[in-house]
Amino acid sequence: MGEKANTAAGAAGRALTADRPAAVRNVVLVGHSGSGKTTLVEALAQTAGALNRAGRVEDGGTVSDYDEIEHRQHRSVQLSLVPVGWDGYKINLIDTPGYADFVGELRAGLRAADAALFVVSAAQEADAVAASTRMVWEECAAVGMPRAIVVTHLDTARTDFGELTGVCASLFGHDDPDAVLPLYLPVRGAEGADGHAPATGLVGLLSERILDYSTGVRTERPPDEEQRPLIAEARARLIEGIIAESEDETLMDRYLGGESVDVQTLVGDLEKAVARGAFHPVLAAAPAAAGGSQGLGTLELLELITGGFPSPLEHEPPVVTTPDGQPRPPLACDPEGPLIAEVVKTSSDPYVGRVSLVRVFSGTLRPDETVHVSGHGLADRAHADRDLHEADERVGGLTSPFGKQQRPMAHCVAGDLACVARLGRAETGDTISAKDDPLLIEPWSMPEPLLPLAVQAHGKADEDRLSQGLARLVAEDPALRLEQNPDTRQMVLWCLGEAHQDVVLERLRGRYGVQVDAVPYKVALRETFGGAAAGRGRHVKQSGGHGQYAVCEIEVEPLPPGSGVEFVDKVVGGAVPRPFISSVEKGVRAQAARGVAAGYPLVDVRVTLRDGKAHSVDSSDAAFQTAGALALREAAAEVPVHLLEPVAEVRVTVPDEYVGPVMSDLSGRRGRVVGTDQAGSGRTVVRAEVPEIEIGRYAIDLRSVSHGTGRFDRAYARHEPMPPHLAEKVRAQG
């Protein structure tokens, strides 16, 4: 194999391996739902020889082994890795879901990759492209990740290729539209009965050659005379765009002065500009026709990936510290360096157990060695309250996915990806390092799940398995947050959307055999007194032997919000013996926790014990607790009891054109808009205070209002009185 990747992946069941980072290319495929990412991965794998026909691995498996729900709903819901070999390189194709609910899988794919391929469907409207890909493009731009664009579905196009290229330039190249230009133009065949002419080949603008795929295998020929004017115009613009990004500052002047620039110089400058994220070529692709071995544009894509996309050596790795936060020197992508790897995805296999997909940033990971695992999940959001967990673990086998198989790997060098078995304590986002030199990688950011799903076990048998199943789900899916709400006593799974909820429930049932019922989500309401009142609690019983005797008199007055329950002792003359005053307080506080009107905790009141009576024999701690509770209930019957609802501070970030609809929608939710701020790139942050009962489904509704372009976060602000008509409705339901 030498310095290149071993591409004989199908031979004797060996995994595709690489012995140096320079022979690796990690590419994440990003695109809106239905753009054809998975089909494109299969077409690239077929062209590279990993498949014997479209969608089939050499040994008869399938490229992507997804969950049952993915097959049923015909959409990808998780990250999938497909390694292929091409021209001595190992290309890790990372297929990500396009649906917004699974952005957590997308973020993991971005973390594992060194370049991104944005897949845009010509069969979908331009609005769909803008809604779901522009924000990801900006995320990649923020970290300088190289990007290219590939147009799919040319055979069922609603949009002309030239028109779609212009849309991509306006969406993705708003700072420099000339940095988003096509390298190839599609060549159309004869029109069919529907009037549509399918793409049968490509025009190479730099080579000025026709790349004909009509037979299923690429052949080349010179263009026809009538094609030359169109080629010349597009070629001139492409050359100017490449030269504008050239590191040779004299090249543009020489070109404008009439000097001819040879193709090899242009190709070299193009590859350098793509690798540093300064130029974003647009290509086209389609799967192979029946009987063909090469899909349209797939050879060109593989050439771009290997020649234009950077190797792991050119990608700045994440920041590393010691587990206690002490800084360490920047990482180097060196197979001989200290071992530092990161778990980018965790899944469960019914036979192997937990399987971790790992990106190695430094050193070389080998089977059967003992490593140190440390982390706190993705600590900047879901696991912020968790301490760092650390453990030494023995690595199981290293494998590379190949359809439904996991093929053994002898090692995984810096820059490569591998699946690791039996890391029982590892979670997504955790760091794997040498046991004698523990390190911690700075975690990547994840969206906050804001759609609640309250669940309860369906039966007794499910109760026993529920906690273990939920713990595994949270470890596998960092976009999922589990909350045991102490106020409502509900078990709540916070998800990113309805599709995410469906997947969570399906995995609980299918993977872990746990049946759960979804129940209405409850908001943590409170009660408070609407005015001052007095109450008398009398608990006197005689039933043979020691009786029960306790009398207490209290006064209750409301306090400012946030005061809780305050208890004051103002008994004089020993009317209530000192040992029983604390008993009255216990009874008052226990009743306050249960509520006095609608069953919600009572807050923001001062309870003053004024007087009472005791019996030398029959008084007891239990009797005075009961009397205290009775006194509080009697006082509550004398005045209005207000229901308090939680109010959230909400920050909604949307494109400027959706600010009006968002503000109107928030007002319709009894929200108060308190201000707006510019967020840059044509986006605005709308700040508002909204009752939490009104935003339980806002994660879904905001997508509709903003056409999928908005995002929001929320934080508890305070409790406020609920409008009387709504309070009455809640009481009636309770």
Side-chain angles (χ1 to χ4, degrees), residues 1-6 17-25 87-90 413:
M1 185 174 71
E3 294 186 334
K4 290 188 176 181
N6 175 8
T17 57
D19 280 346
R20 62 180 184 124
V24 178
R25 297 292 185 271
D87 194 27
Y89 293 90
K90 179 183 180 183
V413 300

Side-chain angles (χ1 to χ4, degrees), residues 267-474:
V267 170
D269 284 345
L270 169 67
E271 292 178 346
K272 292 176 183 177
V274 171
R276 68 174 188 270
F279 188 84
H280 315 294
V282 182
L283 299 91
S293 61
Q294 296 173 352
L296 183 146
T298 52
L299 282 168
E300 289 73 25
L301 271 174
L302 291 169
E303 290 166 357
L304 174 70
I305 290 170
T306 55
F309 281 171
S311 74
L313 294 169
E314 302 167 76
H315 184 198
E316 183 177 347
V319 176
V320 173
T321 66
T322 61
D324 59 0
Q326 297 300 313
R328 291 293 296 266
L331 290 179
C333 186
D334 180 5
E336 302 301 323
L339 176 63
I340 306 171
E342 184 175 37
V343 179
V344 295
K345 179 176 174 58
T346 308
S347 59
S348 294
D349 184 278
Y351 304 105
V352 180
R354 182 171 294 187
V355 177
S356 304
L357 177 61
V358 168
R359 162 76 189 251
V360 180
F361 288 103
S362 173
T364 300
L365 185 64
R366 293 181 171 83
D368 300 322
E369 67 177 329
T370 301
V371 298
H372 188 78
V373 177
S374 58
H376 30 53
L378 299 177
D380 52 337
R381 55 133 209 100
H383 303 294
D385 58 341
R386 290 180 52 183
D387 295 329
L388 181 75
H389 57 263
E390 298 187 78
D392 287 342
E393 293 209 58
R394 187 178 180 84
V395 173
L398 296 185
T399 58
S400 180
F402 193 75
K404 292 184 178 181
Q405 293 186 355
Q406 290 286 343
R407 294 192 162 179
M409 294 177 65
H411 57 263
C412 183
V413 300
D416 203 359
L417 299 168
C419 292
V420 183
R422 297 199 297 272
L423 288 181
R425 300 283 297 277
E427 299 180 10
T428 302
D430 282 0
T431 301
I432 298 172
S433 56
K435 66 175 183 177
D436 55 351
D437 186 18
L439 297 170
L440 191 65
I441 294 177
E442 182 180 64
W444 71 88
S445 64
M446 288 291 291
E448 178 74 16
L450 295 169
L451 183 65
L453 172 65
V455 296
Q456 62 185 23
H458 182 72
K460 177 62 177 175
D462 300 303
E463 288 182 5
D464 300 334
R465 297 190 297 267
L466 181 57
S467 60
Q468 184 180 18
L470 290 174
R472 289 181 177 178
L473 273 183
V474 172

